Amino acid sequence: MERLITAMKRPGFSWPTCPEGGAGKPGYDQYADCRAGWQPVAGDQDYDHGRSGELSRCSRTVRVCNGRTPQNADSDRKEDTRDGITRELLGRNSCEYREYVARPLRAQPYYFDIKSEQGGTERHYFDLRH
């Protein structure tokens, strides 16, 4: 691995591929999947990691009213951050709010997509740290 990392730093390095084996160039995906029920969304400059436009946060919509007056209905827009979750109530009479959390980072962000015997593609993640 150390020789590979050294070679990657040299100008003109080209990652070796093996088309016959069904593997192409490696990819990079720094973010892990969001928890069940959450969707990846674009982040802001204000969050711990990620640049604006990257899908660096996870979000979900929560319904809270059930026929009652919304919580925190004293303003048109309310944002509250605790436990690492940002909650955003939009509108004075809204029964829904959005929750945002930083999207987890992958321990192994590099990957190869390799053709499987069944005809699909399997993604295999790896890391270059030593």
Side-chain angles (χ1 to χ4, degrees), residues 42-50 56-57 79 81 84 86 100-102:
D44 291 335
Q45 299 285 349
D46 299 338
Y47 288 85
D48 291 340
H49 57 272
S56 61
R57 296 188 294 166
E79 193 171 295
T81 302
T86 299
Y100 299 95
V101 295

Side-chain angles (χ1 to χ4, degrees), residues 63-70 95:
R63 184 160 180 82
V64 294
C65 291
N66 299 327
R68 298 187 324 259
T69 302
C95 286

Side-chain angles (χ1 to χ4, degrees), residues 29-36 38 40 58 103-106 125:
D29 184 9
Q30 70 178 340
Y31 298 109
D33 295 334
C34 294
R35 295 182 275 186
W38 295 72
C58 298
R103 194 166 170 194
L105 298 175
R106 290 188 186 280
Y125 287 94

Side-chain angles (χ1 to χ4, degrees), residues 47 79-88 100:
Y47 288 85
E79 193 171 295
D80 174 31
T81 302
R82 56 189 141 91
D83 303 329
I85 299 174
T86 299
R87 292 163 183 87
E88 184 177 67
Y100 299 95

